[in-house]
Amino acid sequence: MNVLITGANGFSGKNLSEYLKSKGYNIIRLTRKEADLQNFQEVKEFASKIQEQINTVIHTAFKTASPNQTKEQQIQTFNENILITKNTIELASMLHIEKFINFSSMSVYPSTDGCFNENSIIKTSENTDCMYGLAKFCAENMFDLYLKNTKIIHLRIAQIFSENMREDRIIPVMKRELSENNKITVYGNGERSSCFISVLKLCEIINFFLQKNLTGIYNTGEFNITYYDLAKKIINKYGNENSEIIKEEKGSKSKFRMDFSKLAFEMDK
């Protein structure tokens, strides 16, 4: 099977490329070196050079937003992601693919108390990654609208972790504090909860969808956990008997969880 991966040099794309290649797939990598997805002419030229018949596109390319960005910068990032979405639609149409796997995000949901399934309310304005989540939700709808003859799978993915993940993610931040001070500080008294998935588990799920005739939206994660329990897991693995967890009152206490039962049902068949 010939699989094209966009954003193939990104954290998810790189791990996924290596994993699927080891499983026998023929991987065609799309990075900014091959074509900038914000530049339609480059995308068109890239598509014309592909010799293989592409069966599936796995779309991981997307620009991330930062909470430190100004309103203008966040809106600019949103606009850039919509342009990436548009040109990815053009690319998929030119390649006449059979299947399209879209990396969406849990950021489409509000980061508030509750357990959210695929039919839950979408309210990105109540998420700290509002413009990123909004762009992901718009992308879902644009792909559905313009790729009607393609089997489309939207994966609303939890926080991805691995040993080589970005240093500003919560797990590396906790590990760094533990290494430097033998303690981990958890804010919101450690009550905040979120959902996570290892990059290996995510790769296994992608492999599953490549082999199945499925479409639709799937919450994609491995476990829901409070930040206090997450700190305990990190101490159990990397700490010692003197390691401490320090609770701080300030910070979010939202108990956000995702319901993964739809995905689990399909994988357990």
Side-chain angles (χ1 to χ4, degrees):
M1 182 185 294
N2 299 319
V3 178
L4 187 149
I5 299 177
T6 70
N9 270 353
F11 173 66
S12 299
K14 190 172 184 179
N15 281 278
L16 186 58
S17 297
E18 294 171 355
Y19 177 87
L20 293 180
K21 189 175 180 180
S22 74
K23 296 296 181 181
Y25 295 93
N26 181 37
I27 302 300
I28 295 89
R29 291 162 46 85
L30 175 53
T31 70
R32 289 195 67 178
K33 182 179 179 181
E34 283 79 36
D36 183 353
L37 274 171
Q38 294 186 67
N39 186 317
F40 173 69
Q41 190 58 39
E42 290 187 17
V43 170
K44 186 177 179 181
E45 290 173 2
F46 173 79
S48 69
K49 294 176 184 177
I50 296 177
Q51 301 298 315
E52 304 93 335
Q53 171 60 50
I54 303 299
N55 307 102
T56 300
V57 168
I58 303 175
H59 180 51
T60 76
F62 223 65
K63 293 197 70 172
T64 57
S66 165
N68 299 322
Q69 286 182 324
T70 64
K71 177 179 68 176
E72 289 74 18
Q73 289 171 326
Q74 290 177 356
I75 292 173
Q76 177 61 29
T77 300
F78 171 84
N79 289 334
E80 290 172 357
N81 279 325
I82 295 301
L83 181 56
I84 288 171
T85 300
K86 173 188 173 295
N87 286 335
T88 302
I89 290 167
E90 299 289 357
L91 174 63
S93 298
M94 286 185 280
L95 296 176
H96 305 290
I97 61 172
E98 301 167 6
K99 184 178 293 186
F100 187 90
I101 299 177
N102 173 42
F103 273 39
S104 189
S105 170
M106 69 180 190
S107 297
V108 302
Y109 301 119
S111 51
T112 55
D113 290 0
C115 185
F116 296 85
N117 63 34
E118 292 81 357
N119 296 316
S120 294
I121 186 172
I122 302 298
K123 197 167 186 181
T124 67
S125 61
E126 293 187 11
N127 192 297
T128 51
D129 286 328
C130 172
M131 298 306 291
Y132 177 78
L134 180 59
K136 285 290 190 183
F137 185 59
C138 289
E140 289 182 8
N141 285 271
M142 290 172 69
F143 292 135
D144 286 341
L145 177 62
Y146 294 114
L147 298 177
K148 290 190 182 296
N149 295 322
T150 305
K151 295 182 176 67
I152 301 175
I153 299 158
H154 300 295
L155 304 181
R156 292 178 176 168
I157 302 172
Q159 295 190 55
I160 307 170
F161 67 92
S162 79
E163 290 298 325
N164 61 343
M165 65 191 296
R166 280 172 47 184
E167 289 299 313
D168 61 347
R169 305 285 95 175
I170 185 62
I171 292 174
V173 168
M174 286 184 173
K175 286 171 62 177
R176 185 165 58 250
E177 186 183 11
L178 179 65
S179 173
E180 293 172 354
N181 303 311
N182 204 25
K183 68 176 183 179
I184 296 176
T185 304
V186 290
Y187 295 91
N189 272 343
E191 296 177 22
R192 180 182 178 184
S193 64
S194 189
C195 39
F196 297 84
I197 186 169
S198 70
V199 72
L200 176 58
K201 182 65 175 179
L202 178 58
C203 289
E204 291 171 350
I205 290 170
I206 298 297
N207 187 33
F208 167 81
F209 278 110
L210 285 171
Q211 298 176 50
K212 299 296 181 179
N213 188 28
L214 295 169
T215 60
I217 299 169
Y218 292 86
N219 284 349
T220 306
E222 203 168 354
F223 56 87
N224 296 290
I225 193 171
T226 66
Y227 278 33
Y228 180 81
D229 286 338
L230 180 62
K232 285 201 300 183
K233 285 173 71 76
I234 291 172
I235 285 174
N236 287 339
K237 187 171 183 179
Y238 300 103
N240 55 51
E241 66 275 8
N242 296 317
S243 302
E244 293 182 276
I245 299 176
I246 308 299
K247 292 183 179 181
E248 284 281 354
E249 176 68 25
K250 64 181 181 180
S252 171
K253 296 182 180 179
S254 64
K255 298 174 179 62
F256 173 87
R257 293 172 293 134
M258 277 206 296
D259 180 352
F260 310 126
S261 59
K262 180 180 177 181
L263 175 62
F265 174 78
E266 293 294 348
M267 295 188 74
D268 288 343
K269 280 185 179 179

